[in-house]
Amino acid sequence: MQVRYFATVSRSEAESAYSRLEVAFEEDGSPVAITEIDEATDRWEIAAYLGGGDDAEESFDRREEFRAAAGLAADVEIGREELPDQDWMASVLAELKPVRAGRFVVHGAHDRDKIGAHELSIEIEAGLAFGTGHHGTTAGCLTMLGRVVRLRRPRSALDLGTGSAVLAIALAKLARVGVVATDVDSVAVAVAAGNVGANGVSARVETARADGFAAVAIRRRAPYDLIVANILAGPLIALAPGFRRHATDRADVILSGILTGQAAAVRAAFRSQGFVHVETLTRGDWVTLHLRRAS
């Protein structure tokens, strides 16, 4: 049984709650949604689709778990709605509106007719991999990619922890460059490969499974002028030496999956490996870093 837990709050509260819920329920893959209810009164709904236990008893209630994970105040009312069994991840993603970040528009097949001729379309269907563009980290990376590529077009690129391959597809379309897109999760790699094909960039994007930098595909095409990694702060810090080994002199590095309170630690880890800070982009509780390897 699936149960939808939800609350109605302001936009800023909903965006913060969305970021927290994605982190809290990332490992079990529970879908999280954010929806505008009333623009005039700034009312937004934040929701999570959680397992309801082995039976449908009303006594199995995760409202307080939802409240704590979302960081909602004690006076915010939490709703609970039992739902029939179905693929709620696919259902939620199918209803998401297109996301615009710089020249990029991330959308589902149902929104193809809403894409402008001057916009770079990235079509991502509902699947088991993360990365629809709606999270602040993905949107931040897309925006930063546009800025970096406009100033310095790379000759080789790596998307580490590619998820749904949104960033690899964006690079292939914008920079028209070869991209290695890897993920530690074999399911994500399969989803990524499907999305790469659907977007017509299979000739430029090579997908592969990799634990960090440990993959033949990564070594074969190293070093890279541009490395993007939208994962989490802990793995980024641990992998900092690998970034240096696989980056060219003056290579650009774009990092996300970093909470605002973690940015200083990530910057310090990369500074120790010879990377200098260029720019920070903040979206809600998340930051995207642009670093450059010193020559």
Side-chain angles (χ1 to χ4, degrees):
M1 181 188 70
Q2 288 284 324
V3 181
R4 188 174 81 97
Y5 294 89
F6 57 94
T8 303
V9 291
S10 69
R11 177 176 179 173
S12 61
E13 291 172 310
E15 289 179 342
S16 177
Y18 182 87
S19 298
R20 293 172 180 271
L21 288 170
E22 281 218 322
V23 172
F25 299 122
E26 179 179 25
E27 289 191 4
D28 60 14
S30 297
V32 178
I34 181 171
T35 308
E36 184 178 32
I37 302 299
D38 190 333
E39 181 180 5
T41 59
D42 187 32
R43 305 312 291 163
W44 290 66
E45 182 185 87
I46 182 70
Y49 295 75
L50 308 178
D54 296 330
D55 53 49
E57 291 185 6
E58 178 70 26
S59 60
F60 190 88
D61 197 323
R62 300 176 69 177
R63 271 178 279 209
E64 290 310 308
E65 179 187 356
F66 173 85
R67 182 193 306 279
L72 298 174
D75 60 348
V76 174
E77 182 178 355
I78 308 298
R80 181 183 187 277
E81 178 185 11
E82 294 183 10
L83 303 169
D85 288 332
Q86 63 172 295
D87 187 349
W88 286 103
M89 175 66 84
S91 178
V92 169
L93 292 179
E95 294 175 1
L96 292 176
K97 297 178 180 179
V99 170
R100 287 172 168 81
R103 288 185 60 197
F104 300 110
V105 183
V106 185
H107 64 93
H110 57 288
D111 281 321
R112 286 175 185 166
D113 59 344
K114 299 179 182 178
I115 311 306
H118 68 288
E119 296 177 311
L120 287 176
S121 163
I122 304 174
E123 187 171 302
I124 302 295
E125 286 308 300
L128 299 177
F130 295 102
T132 62
H134 291 76
H135 193 277
T137 60
T138 309
C141 282
L142 287 171
T143 300
M144 193 72 83
L145 277 176
R147 295 179 184 180
V148 171
V149 171
R150 185 172 62 249
L151 296 174
R152 305 179 69 202
R153 187 178 296 272
R155 292 168 296 177
S156 58
L158 170 64
D159 178 10
L160 194 69
T162 193
S164 63
V166 166
L167 302 179
I169 295 166
L171 268 169
K173 289 195 170 189
L174 181 63
R176 296 184 176 277
V177 65
V179 185
V180 178
T182 67
D183 202 285
V184 69
D185 185 344
S186 57
V187 173
V189 175
V191 172
N195 287 328
V196 166
N199 282 270
V201 291
S202 296
R204 294 195 184 103
V205 180
E206 177 184 2
T207 57
R209 186 188 176 281
D211 187 356
F213 288 94
V216 172
I218 293 177
R219 293 194 300 271
R220 184 172 61 245
R221 296 171 66 173
Y224 299 92
D225 299 319
L226 175 60
I227 303 176
V228 57
N230 181 15
I231 44 180
L232 293 172
L236 287 173
I237 291 171
L239 290 169
F243 277 82
R244 178 173 178 82
R245 290 194 301 271
H246 292 82
T248 62
D249 289 344
R250 305 289 294 166
D252 291 295
V253 170
I254 297 173
L255 308 175
S256 200
I258 306 164
L259 291 165
T260 53
Q262 301 169 330
V266 174
R267 286 174 57 178
F270 278 78
R271 186 167 56 247
S272 70
Q273 298 298 319
F275 290 89
V276 296
H277 175 253
V278 179
E279 184 181 6
T280 295
L281 181 63
T282 303
R283 287 178 177 264
D285 294 331
W286 301 90
V287 300
T288 300
L289 300 178
H290 173 200
L291 309 175
R292 183 170 293 146
R293 181 180 168 181
S295 56

